[in-house]
Amino acid sequence: MYWTEFFIPTNKEIPADAKIPSHQLMIRSGMIKQESSGIYSWLPLGFKVLKKIEKIVREEQEKAGAIEMLMPTLQAVELWKESGRYDGYGKEMLKIIDRHNRFLIYGPTNEEQVTEIFRAFVKSYKNLPLNLFHIQWKFRDEIRPRFGVMRGREFLMKDAYSFDLNEEESKKSYYKMFISYIKIFKRLKINTIPVVADSGEIGGSLSHEFSIITNTGEGQVYCDKRLFDLELDNDDLNNLSDLERAVGNYTQFYSATEDKHNEKIFKEKVPEEFRLKGKAIEVGHIFSFGEKYSSPMKAYITNKEGKNVSVYMGSYGIGVSRLVAAIIEYSHDKKGIIWPNSVTPFHVGIINVQADNKECLKVIQEIKSEFEENNLEVLVDDRDESVGKKYADMDLIGLPYILTIGPRDIKEKKVDVKFRHTDTKENLSIEGAINRITSLAKEKTRS
Ligand code: P5A
């Protein structure tokens, strides 16, 4: 892609209302544009990252057996009256009146909707387990939308819903999602902390939040850093005891939110060098709530004895749009964003020092094609701008590998390469640079 053929409206100024780095950087790098309070357009660069995160989430959920579908954003209020949540949900629920004076709501979540789908089609234990997910926009009329897409009113969520015959089977589904979440966050290169959580509005008895610690989170978390070093084997875990063991590897380490934190136990259990506390950003939240929705909504199945029983359910959310901001919050410096290879909008940036030099353009075109043959995405800054501006913008948008090419480099068949992750520079032969970057980018993109 050539910069002049794409759309990246970068901006030097720090927007006045953007209080945290990710919000500032997303606006300055032309990723998003605010349309009204808590509502954003995703400009091409931001949209590219959003799609890459979505893809990783989708791949891992499918590997864990969840099946993708798509439910609408608008829901009938009747379902929420059936579940008993209509009155309790409060002002965060956005209600819409259609031309027939019927009330609809812009879905803040989909437990009711998916339960309705389930009960319409599934009648027997033989069709279980079932896990359905979608990646769809939600709306919550947050009282204080802030920090850009971190706490928006409209936001993109991946929400999965599991259906099982009984509590034990339902636990299995919960643990599968737990492990799938760990895998997703590892691929996104963020260290997340699973913390036992209150299930709040969604309900149920078993719940974990997945949070990352950054300078700008909300609410304190405490944990044992050793949990970040755990490795997951790639085996598909299917029986309850294997799953329990895998989840237990994570939950054996101390982790707590402020309200559940016990300083005495923290100090007893965690050696000082592994103690970590800081402000948390919640990027995922999972719930197991048994019959909470299926019972009032009469989502019954026949069990092995031929008896009608309510199906056991769980729900599993990931803030896909929030993750874009969370990753930036986690990985940036004074100059801009530093994307992990797995979600970077482009892997390689090429700065054309002399935009009108035909020789340079030709060589850049060749280098670009070679990268692309290796499935790496390239952004060539071919604008008629100062080299200083081009450097600053490349740093701002955060691509991992940046090549600078001018007439002298072409004569010497050498190129300056900047490695954004380590903030180091090397002068390499053109061939050497291509090989190095290709192998580095591939290695780091792999799950
Ligand atoms: C789980 C899936 C649920 O809604 N129902 C379906 C359950 N959980 S949750 O914790 O309320 O939300 C899941 C994740 O969505 C993100 N999120 C948000 N992202 C941006 N702006 C918001 N206002 C917002 N609210 C929730 C979070 O990452 C949360 O973990």
Side-chain angles (χ1 to χ4, degrees):
M1 181 62 71
Y2 289 93
W3 195 302
T4 55
E5 290 169 9
F6 202 49
F7 182 63
I8 315 178
T10 56
N11 188 344
K12 239 176 37 204
E13 307 302 321
I14 297 179
D17 62 332
K19 301 275 183 280
I20 63 170
S22 59
H23 190 189
Q24 295 169 356
L25 290 169
M26 286 182 79
I27 291 186
R28 287 189 47 218
S29 62
M31 292 176 67
I32 52 169
K33 178 182 175 299
Q34 182 172 336
E35 300 300 357
S36 49
S37 169
I39 300 178
Y40 292 84
S41 287
W42 288 80
L43 305 179
L45 197 69
F47 192 52
K48 247 172 154 288
V49 177
L50 189 71
K51 288 277 156 196
K52 288 197 175 185
I53 296 176
E54 203 184 291
K55 180 165 181 277
I56 289 176
V57 171
R58 172 178 297 114
E59 281 172 9
E60 291 300 330
Q61 288 285 279
E62 287 182 341
K63 274 192 217 158
I67 309 165
E68 189 171 15
M69 62 179 301
L70 185 60
M71 291 177 264
T73 51
L74 297 185
Q75 302 177 17
V77 294
E78 285 71 26
L79 290 176
W80 287 69
K81 289 188 174 155
E82 266 191 71
S83 74
R85 267 212 292 190
Y86 184 68
D87 295 324
Y89 208 90
K91 292 197 164 156
E92 272 187 22
M93 182 188 271
L94 179 69
K95 294 171 188 141
I96 297 164
I97 307 176
D98 73 8
R99 63 163 69 190
H100 305 292
N101 272 334
R102 276 192 298 251
F103 274 98
L104 295 161
I105 58 160
Y106 193 128
T109 176
N110 285 66
E111 279 79 7
E112 283 77 0
Q113 182 103 73
V114 79
T115 305
E116 210 285 316
I117 293 170
F118 179 88
R119 73 180 175 190
F121 299 109
V122 186
K123 308 287 178 202
S124 158
Y125 76 95
K126 288 181 191 152
N127 301 107
L128 301 180
L130 180 67
N131 187 324
L132 297 170
F133 78 100
H134 73 164
I135 300 174
Q136 176 63 294
W137 294 92
K138 307 285 186 285
F139 197 96
R140 292 183 187 174
D141 207 352
E142 301 267 354
I143 188 158
R144 276 202 301 160
R146 58 195 178 136
F147 302 153
V149 298
M150 190 76 89
R151 182 169 295 284
R153 293 200 294 166
E154 189 185 41
F155 61 97
L156 188 63
M157 192 201 286
K158 183 286 303 176
D159 36 330
Y161 301 88
S162 64
F163 300 90
D164 286 286
L165 175 60
N166 54 36
E167 196 171 348
E168 186 175 308
E169 289 291 311
S170 173
K171 245 188 187 163
K172 224 163 91 175
S173 298
Y174 183 89
Y175 291 150
K176 267 193 178 177
M177 287 292 114
F178 187 111
I179 298 296
S180 175
Y181 275 35
I182 300 277
K183 290 184 177 173
I184 289 168
F185 299 131
K186 270 192 190 297
R187 284 181 69 181
L188 298 175
K189 301 288 178 228
I190 48 177
N191 283 325
T192 45
I193 307 154
V195 191
V196 172
D198 290 327
S199 45
E201 194 51 56
I202 307 289
S205 54
L206 183 58
S207 180
H208 284 90
E209 289 167 12
F210 292 78
S211 291
I212 59 171
I213 288 184
T214 70
N215 292 329
T216 51
E218 299 175 282
Q220 193 94 333
V221 220
Y222 300 77
C223 81
D224 184 332
K225 268 197 266 192
R226 282 174 293 185
L227 83 93
F228 301 147
D229 300 327
L230 290 172
E231 289 293 334
L232 269 176
D233 39 17
N234 265 334
D235 301 345
D236 281 335
L237 301 170
N238 272 313
N239 67 57
L240 186 57
S241 63
D242 287 348
L243 279 160
E244 242 157 6
R245 185 181 38 76
V247 171
N249 278 341
Y250 285 88
T251 51
Q252 66 175 315
F253 289 107
Y254 187 93
S255 70
T257 45
E258 187 73 69
D259 53 328
K260 297 197 178 65
H261 174 65
N262 181 321
E263 188 70 16
K264 190 167 164 280
I265 298 178
F266 188 46
K267 287 192 167 149
E268 271 167 24
K269 269 192 84 174
V270 189
E272 198 170 349
E273 68 266 37
F274 299 120
R275 279 177 219 154
L276 180 66
K277 67 173 181 181
K279 289 189 192 157
I281 297 174
E282 181 199 300
V283 287
H285 200 154
I286 60 177
F287 305 82
S288 183
F289 42 71
E291 301 157 282
K292 176 171 178 202
Y293 299 88
S294 58
S295 171
M297 292 185 68
K298 301 189 173 53
Y300 299 144
I301 40 157
T302 49
N303 67 11
K304 286 173 189 153
E305 289 76 42
K307 225 178 104 194
N308 263 349
V309 291
S310 309
V311 70
Y312 271 71
M313 291 175 59
S315 74
Y316 315 90
I318 286 186
V320 178
S321 49
R322 174 177 289 185
L323 268 168
V324 181
I327 293 170
I328 296 174
E329 212 54 53
Y330 205 73
S331 178
H332 68 271
D333 63 11
K334 282 203 188 77
K335 290 180 265 183
I337 303 165
I338 306 174
W339 288 117
N341 288 359
S342 53
V343 298
T344 186
F346 298 91
H347 301 92
V348 184
I350 302 182
I351 293 176
N352 185 359
V353 176
Q354 250 183 34
D356 55 356
N357 183 311
K358 292 223 165 64
E359 183 79 16
C360 282
L361 276 175
K362 192 171 147 263
V363 174
I364 287 173
Q365 167 72 53
E366 283 162 16
I367 297 176
K368 178 172 170 284
S369 306
E370 266 203 62
F371 279 122
E372 285 169 354
E373 275 163 29
N374 286 308
N375 291 324
L376 298 187
E377 288 175 276
V378 181
L379 177 68
V380 178
D381 191 347
D382 57 340
R383 291 176 300 171
D384 187 14
E385 292 278 1
S386 72
V387 178
K389 161 98 172 135
K390 292 185 184 184
Y391 274 131
D393 275 354
M394 273 294 176
D395 279 341
L396 175 64
I397 68 171
L399 310 188
Y401 310 102
I402 300 158
L403 271 56
T404 309
I405 298 181
R408 189 154 28 103
D409 304 301
I410 289 178
K411 230 179 263 156
E412 295 168 8
K413 293 200 165 31
K414 289 208 142 186
V415 59
D416 271 332
V417 183
K418 176 168 172 179
F419 298 87
R420 188 80 175 86
H421 291 149
T422 47
D423 203 17
T424 51
K425 275 187 188 156
E426 275 184 58
N427 190 255
L428 299 169
S429 71
I430 291 182
E431 246 354 270
I434 293 174
N435 292 340
R436 228 347 231 302
I437 292 172
T438 305
S439 76
L440 275 174
K442 291 224 161 119
E443 190 178 310
K444 291 199 177 154
T445 313
R446 265 205 310 263
S447 53

